[in-house]
Amino acid sequence: MQTTPETQHRTVEAVLCDMDNTLFDLVGAKREACRCVVDYLGAGDPEALFAQFLRGVHGFEDHANIRDYLDGLGVREQRTFEVCCRTYEDVKLDRVEAYPGVEKTLRSLRDAGIGLAVVTDAESFQARRRLTKTGLIDYFDVVVTPEVSGKRKPEPDSLLYALRHLDTPPAKAVMVGDSLVRDIAPGRHLGMVTAFAAYGDWRPGRPTDVEADIILREFAELPGHVGIPDR
């Protein structure tokens, strides 16, 4: 097996992947969905609507963020709210596509006998519909969400659940994600090799003392770091 400094003396048996902005660009899809909602309303600002989801008042996917935005515009009709929510969800899902090379990479890892898991903070319904839309769901042995593990990242519960399901110790697994705090930190804490999906970090420059073993410019670089030749 080809080795790199971060995998030397290790046999990689499993890869755990974050989902949004690691396997596909959810933020870009959300921004386009917000633009379409504003187009329907004929008023407002797409970035202002997108910013509602970042406040932490409601969940990152909670439609209450749309309700708050409409309230700010003085729009309180229930039917308008319902149409905006449908528009948001339909456009967001339609715009989600796997990053280049993701499916080929997952196939290479699976064919090499590597166990694969998704570890995400998205709701199970949202996770499965996005993975189905992108054609990626069948590559994974398990999809772990907070509904499954009981905790959100950076708590390690979802990672531990995936490792148990794959029957793999942390030292023989890789954690891949676009968040140094929510993905890389818990992976390092458990003793996993960590791979930072820098291509998906849509809010760069945030201060953190967390460092990853591997920096990925694209997902397709992963097999070379775990000793699997590109196919």
Side-chain angles (χ1 to χ4, degrees):
M1 173 182 289
Q2 175 188 351
T3 58
T4 57
E6 61 277 351
T7 58
Q8 192 171 16
H9 307 306
R10 300 196 189 203
T11 299
V12 174
E13 297 180 356
V15 172
L16 279 55
C17 299
D18 173 54
M19 186 180 70
D20 299 329
N21 307 306
T22 296
L23 301 176
F24 44 77
D25 181 7
L26 178 67
V27 166
K30 281 177 68 76
R31 282 195 158 110
E32 179 62 16
C34 289
R35 185 190 67 77
C36 289
V37 169
V38 168
D39 282 352
Y40 166 74
L41 292 171
D45 173 23
E47 282 301 306
L49 175 53
F50 176 70
Q52 293 289 313
F53 291 92
L54 307 181
R55 299 172 300 159
V57 175
H58 310 293
F60 189 58
E61 291 298 296
D62 198 318
H63 290 170
N65 294 295
I66 297 175
R67 171 72 76 186
D68 289 352
Y69 181 73
L70 294 176
D71 285 346
L73 294 177
V75 178
R76 294 181 172 82
E77 293 84 358
Q78 180 64 20
R79 181 181 178 281
T80 300
F81 170 66
E82 292 171 355
V83 172
C84 286
C85 291
R86 285 199 303 271
T87 299
Y88 169 78
E89 290 295 339
D90 290 348
V91 173
K92 182 180 63 175
L93 184 63
D94 182 64
R95 295 301 190 275
V96 167
E97 295 183 359
Y99 286 122
V102 165
E103 185 169 6
K104 179 182 177 182
T105 300
L106 293 174
R107 185 183 304 115
S108 295
L109 294 170
R110 183 192 62 187
D111 290 349
I114 303 293
L116 297 172
V118 163
V119 180
T120 177
D121 277 348
E123 296 177 357
S124 292
F125 169 73
Q126 294 282 11
R128 292 191 173 277
R129 73 198 298 252
R130 292 203 276 266
L131 289 168
T132 300
K133 163 62 170 58
T134 55
L136 302 179
I137 193 165
D138 289 339
Y139 288 99
F140 294 99
D141 301 290
V142 63
V143 177
V144 186
T145 68
E147 294 151 275
V148 173
S149 71
K151 293 285 184 67
R152 292 181 172 274
K153 298 179 289 183
E155 295 297 326
D157 299 61
S158 289
L159 281 68
L160 289 169
Y161 187 100
L163 291 169
R164 286 194 298 269
H165 184 91
L166 298 173
D167 194 23
T168 303
K172 294 186 177 182
V174 179
M175 178 64 207
V176 186
D178 68 295
S179 172
L180 290 170
V181 173
R182 305 185 69 78
D183 300 314
I184 303 306
R188 286 185 66 86
H189 176 74
L190 293 176
M192 301 172 67
V193 172
T194 54
F196 176 51
Y199 57 86
D201 184 14
W202 55 281
R203 289 191 289 189
R206 288 169 291 173
T208 178
D209 58 358
V210 178
E211 295 183 359
D213 298 301
I214 302 165
I215 306 296
L216 297 176
R217 294 168 297 179
E218 57 181 353
F219 192 81
E221 294 177 348
L222 182 61
H225 286 287
V226 299
I228 305 300
D230 188 29
R231 301 187 181 192

